[in-house]
Amino acid sequence: LDKRLCAQTNDGPPPRALHFTNLDAELTWIAEDIAKRLERGEDPAGIAVLARRNSGVQKMHEALESKGIAHAVTGLGNDIYEQPAVRQLIEALKAVNDPLDDVALFHTLSGPLFSIEATQLALLAAAARREHLPLRDMVHNTENERANAALGQLEIWRSQSAEQTVGSLAYAMITDSGWKHTLSSEADSDTELLTQVQALSKFFKTLKEFERISGVGSLQSYIANLPTLRTSGTSFEDVSLDISPTQVNVLSVHRAKGLEWDTVYIIDCTEGSFPLRVFGSNLAIPDTLRTSHTLADEHMAEERRLMYVAVTRARHELILTHANQHGSGSRRAPSRFLHELLGEYTGDAAQTQQDSTEQLNLELFAPRTARDSDAPTIQLPPDMAQDGHFILSVSQIACWLRCPKDFYYTYVLQVPLPPNPALQYGTAIHGAIEAIHTGRREGTPPTLQQLLEQVETALPTAGYLSKRSRERAHDRARQTVEAIYERFSSAPLPIKVETSFSIAMPDMPLKIIGRMDAVYALENGVEIRDFKTGTSVTTPDKAKQRATGSNQLTLYALAWQLMHDEMPALLTLDFVETGQIGTVRKQPKSLATLSAKLQDMVAHLQAGEYPEGKDHTFCHHEQ
């Protein structure tokens, strides 16, 4: 007898044994190899993956799932609470029980009960979080008829929950929504749906059991006890022995008896997995009772018969795989059956290209170096660079002077940022101060009520830490408006209000644009004043310190000097909420220092370089 394995068709390749560094690499390679076969046009029903243990079937299922490969898993035990259909029904029960459970409501509306488009719901959910409103209210305020009809149906079930048991209510939900009909009509032709129907059937049995032992089988009682029920778990087995006629099949060796496929993979061929370990008894057998055949011998013979079953399931191609490492456990030796099947198999002769493939995948994420001639160059937005000149605002330059990398994220890449209520709050207060000054100059000063309404309209509703934070911010804004109305309605008027400027820097390709909040006339020149909100500056020393270190004020001084050929007499930060004022006088030396920094900035921009600032905590984009 010739014990060498070969396909009876005599046209298949010899059996292959492939060696991997770890189990994840092994399963990933199999999934990718199957994907390549399917791309070449191979029949998915002609491919099977066999495992000695159900745990191997589960891991292979997960690997194929991650690659999006349609497949059927036969005979695998499942926790019903992990089944999609059961999870969906539980989420719906939660949504009925708690009208303010936004997560459950989202899953219920987007799930099979109502099938409302998830992208629409995601936008509504994001808006609800920003504005600290329940998702239910946000959906109700839209014109989406289907979503509002779904809310109405949930309300009907909610009213029924007071009288019905949880099982009766759950049955009414899948029936009223039409989901039960969909499952029943399509399960015969869809293996996945059949599995979900089986899981729901088992789930309803658990609901009946809960009603029997709880005494109070209400929805509220069930949701309260759900964590305990889930911890105990309830498993069911897909009792269907039907092999998919249209998909890749994944199953245990025991389930494969009597079946054949063109291509068969046998995974995890290592000592301890295939063959399984035999666990001896603690009772010693007397020598006089020993025979030549021990329990271990019988166990190994059975394992060998199972391997024979596995390898003879392949009609055309057989691939056996094994890996050195399973997680953090000890190193695994190749199965002894590989030696018996293939001769003197060492594990190195059939080394795959997995290692090199992994290295290539890793290199995709390797940082580029200065030697990479094809490294892409990020261009500045058109409004910041024209004809070799840079056009930057005062706030953009101030950002660069703090941290060029933050400038890169904010203005070059334009990374989206979450709503900033503090920034919008400051803009609203600035608008109120401007309205007072402009109205007084034109002889039509606004009333306090008009200012309050203006600021209330301009204040954001989203981005706060909580609803209470939003309420406090709006209360603070009203108090600030009342204070600035009383102050600026009788204070000296500035000669310029919200004055825009655009200046070209001499000897460098840079134009600076900006706007000064207010310019006051003094006996010896002018005072440029910048209004600030915030409550952290509470003493004259803090205000003075902030003004002294303000690059923004120095930029205003530079702009004024270039426009009017004179230095401002004073530069001031006016903290309108705390009433503190910080004033400084800038010297020509300060402007020369700033000009040198701007030259350095231009050089970096021309080179496409954005180094980290001294205090890189400004770059919240990387946190």
Side-chain angles (χ1 to χ4, degrees):
L1 293 177
D2 188 351
K3 294 184 178 180
R4 289 174 298 177
L5 287 171
C6 63
Q8 290 184 354
T9 55
N10 294 319
D11 62 353
R16 289 189 292 161
L18 304 181
H19 161 232
F20 298 86
T21 55
N22 57 70
L23 183 61
D24 288 339
E26 176 184 348
L27 301 179
T28 299
W29 182 89
I30 293 173
E32 292 174 347
D33 193 56
I34 291 174
K36 293 175 184 177
R37 290 174 183 272
L38 299 180
E39 290 175 2
R40 293 196 298 264
E42 289 192 27
D43 181 8
I47 301 173
V49 183
L50 307 183
R52 174 64 181 85
R53 299 184 298 178
N54 280 340
S55 60
V57 174
Q58 177 65 35
K59 289 184 174 70
M60 193 66 244
H61 159 65
E62 294 169 357
L64 292 173
E65 193 80 13
S66 69
K67 297 295 181 181
I69 298 173
H71 62 284
V73 182
T74 304
L76 187 64
N78 299 282
D79 183 349
I80 61 169
Y81 295 107
E82 296 302 319
Q83 297 305 302
V86 175
R87 289 204 306 265
Q88 288 286 355
L89 187 51
I90 288 177
E91 288 298 295
L93 290 170
K94 287 181 179 179
V96 171
N97 182 65
D98 183 357
L100 299 181
D101 189 336
D102 288 353
V103 175
L105 179 60
F106 181 96
H107 291 157
T108 302
L109 294 179
S110 61
L113 288 175
F114 300 108
S115 301
I116 296 172
E117 190 176 347
T119 53
Q120 297 177 2
L121 291 173
L123 292 173
L124 293 174
R129 286 193 298 271
R130 287 197 301 269
E131 300 188 16
H132 304 289
L133 292 173
L135 176 59
R136 178 191 59 177
D137 293 354
M138 190 63 66
V139 172
H140 185 69
N141 293 334
T142 68
E143 298 180 357
N144 190 319
E145 294 182 2
R146 289 184 59 213
N148 277 284
L151 291 181
Q153 182 61 66
L154 288 171
E155 195 60 43
I156 292 174
W157 291 332
R158 192 170 293 121
S159 64
Q160 294 174 349
S161 68
E163 302 174 354
Q164 295 187 359
T165 64
V166 62
S168 299
L169 179 64
Y171 185 80
M173 292 168 69
I174 66 172
T175 303
D176 296 345
S177 64
W179 188 24
K180 176 175 173 285
H181 174 74
T182 300
L183 290 171
S184 301
S185 60
E186 299 180 9
D188 289 342
S189 58
D190 190 318
T191 305
E192 282 192 25
L193 280 183
L194 177 60
T195 301
Q196 297 310 307
V197 171
Q198 294 170 345
L200 280 174
S201 176
K202 181 67 175 178
F203 177 64
F204 273 96
K205 289 182 180 178
T206 67
L207 294 180
K208 178 61 70 175
E209 183 67 11
F210 172 78
E211 293 174 4
R212 186 183 66 81
I213 64 176
S214 68
V216 181
S218 66
L219 171 63
Q220 292 75 16
S221 176
Y222 179 77
I223 296 300
N225 288 281
L226 183 58
T228 303
L229 295 172
R230 295 194 67 153
T231 300
S232 62
T234 301
S235 63
F236 79 102
E237 185 176 356
D238 178 4
V239 296
S240 172
L241 290 178
D242 293 336
I243 299 301
S244 173
T246 60
Q247 297 178 329
V248 174
N249 286 279
V250 182
L251 64 164
S252 68
V253 175
H254 278 103
R255 296 271 180 175
K257 293 179 179 179
L259 303 171
E260 290 182 343
W261 295 268
D262 291 334
T263 301
V264 170
Y265 299 85
I266 305 176
I267 67 171
D268 196 11
C269 297
T270 58
E271 290 292 312
S273 289
F274 203 174
L276 287 175
R277 291 188 180 90
V278 59
F279 296 95
S281 170
N282 290 330
L283 297 176
I285 301 176
D287 293 340
T288 56
L289 297 180
R290 288 186 183 275
T291 67
S292 59
H293 296 285
T294 66
L295 290 176
D297 293 331
E298 294 177 6
H299 167 78
M300 197 55 59
E302 176 60 24
E303 292 293 301
R304 186 173 287 104
R305 282 192 289 269
L306 283 174
M307 176 59 81
Y308 177 81
V309 168
V311 299
T312 54
R313 299 310 92 198
R315 282 194 291 254
H316 181 76
E317 187 171 359
L318 174 65
I319 303 168
L320 304 103
T321 62
H322 71 96
N324 292 344
Q325 205 75 25
H326 285 204
S328 58
S330 58
R331 185 181 178 90
R332 295 254 183 149
S335 169
R336 68 191 69 186
F337 300 146
L338 294 181
H339 298 276
E340 297 176 6
L341 288 165
L342 304 173
E344 292 302 318
Y345 174 69
T346 63
D348 295 327
Q351 178 69 37
T352 71
Q353 295 180 347
Q354 178 68 20
D355 293 339
S356 60
T357 301
E358 288 180 347
Q359 185 63 30
L360 288 173
N361 289 336
L362 289 173
E363 290 301 321
L364 292 175
F365 299 92
R368 290 190 177 269
T369 66
R371 296 190 300 271
D372 293 322
S373 58
D374 61 340
T377 300
I378 302 297
Q379 301 295 327
L380 287 172
D383 60 337
M384 295 172 63
Q386 297 177 9
D387 300 325
H389 284 69
F390 300 107
I391 305 170
L392 302 178
S393 68
V394 168
S395 57
Q396 288 171 342
I397 295 174
C399 178
W400 175 281
L401 295 176
R402 283 198 311 268
C403 181
K405 188 169 281 289
D406 192 32
F407 173 93
Y408 173 70
Y409 283 120
T410 304
Y411 298 111
V412 181
L413 292 184
Q414 299 181 5
V415 175
L417 294 173
N420 188 338
L423 182 61
Q424 294 173 276
Y425 176 93
T427 301
I429 299 301
H430 272 76
I433 297 172
E434 179 185 4
I436 296 173
H437 288 153
T438 302
R440 287 181 61 194
R441 293 183 63 177
E442 295 176 353
T444 55
T447 65
L448 175 59
Q449 186 60 36
Q450 288 174 327
L451 286 178
L452 288 171
E453 292 175 357
Q454 173 184 322
V455 170
E456 184 68 27
T457 302
L459 285 176
T461 59
Y464 300 94
L465 294 176
S466 65
K467 182 178 180 181
R468 179 58 184 152
S469 297
R470 181 178 63 192
E471 293 172 350
R472 285 199 297 266
H474 283 232
D475 289 342
R476 195 180 94 201
R478 285 188 286 270
Q479 296 171 7
T480 301
V481 169
E482 292 172 356
I484 63 174
Y485 180 79
E486 181 178 353
R487 173 187 169 188
F488 290 113
S489 292
S490 57
L493 276 172
I495 58 174
K496 294 180 181 292
V497 176
E498 297 293 336
T499 303
S500 298
F501 64 87
S502 175
I503 58 168
M505 288 295 297
D507 304 323
M508 68 179 82
L510 173 65
K511 181 184 288 186
I512 302 176
I513 58 176
R515 191 164 66 168
M516 300 175 185
D517 288 349
V519 179
Y520 292 86
L522 304 177
E523 292 183 0
N524 59 341
V526 299
E527 175 192 6
I528 300 175
R529 184 169 294 208
D530 193 62
F531 298 111
K532 297 290 185 184
T533 53
T535 57
S536 61
V537 177
T538 54
T539 65
D541 287 342
K542 288 183 178 179
K544 177 74 172 180
Q545 184 180 9
R546 287 280 296 274
T548 302
S550 172
N551 288 317
Q552 192 170 1
L553 289 183
T554 310
L555 285 164
Y556 288 149
L558 177 63
W560 190 269
Q561 198 271 339
L562 290 173
M563 289 188 295
H564 302 282
D565 199 26
E566 67 175 10
M567 289 282 289
L570 293 176
L571 294 131
T572 301
L573 292 182
D574 189 335
F575 298 91
V576 295
E577 292 191 270
T578 61
Q580 300 299 324
I581 293 177
T583 300
V584 295
R585 300 177 187 270
K586 294 293 182 180
Q587 303 299 323
K589 182 179 178 180
S590 299
L591 301 192
T593 301
L594 176 61
S595 295
K597 291 181 179 179
L598 296 179
Q599 285 277 17
D600 182 69
M601 177 189 73
V602 168
H604 279 296
L605 288 172
Q606 290 173 330
E609 299 171 347
Y610 303 92
E612 295 180 2
K614 292 181 179 179
D615 186 357
H616 195 47
T617 57
F618 282 110
C619 294
H620 47 268
H621 311 281
E622 291 195 337
Q623 294 178 356

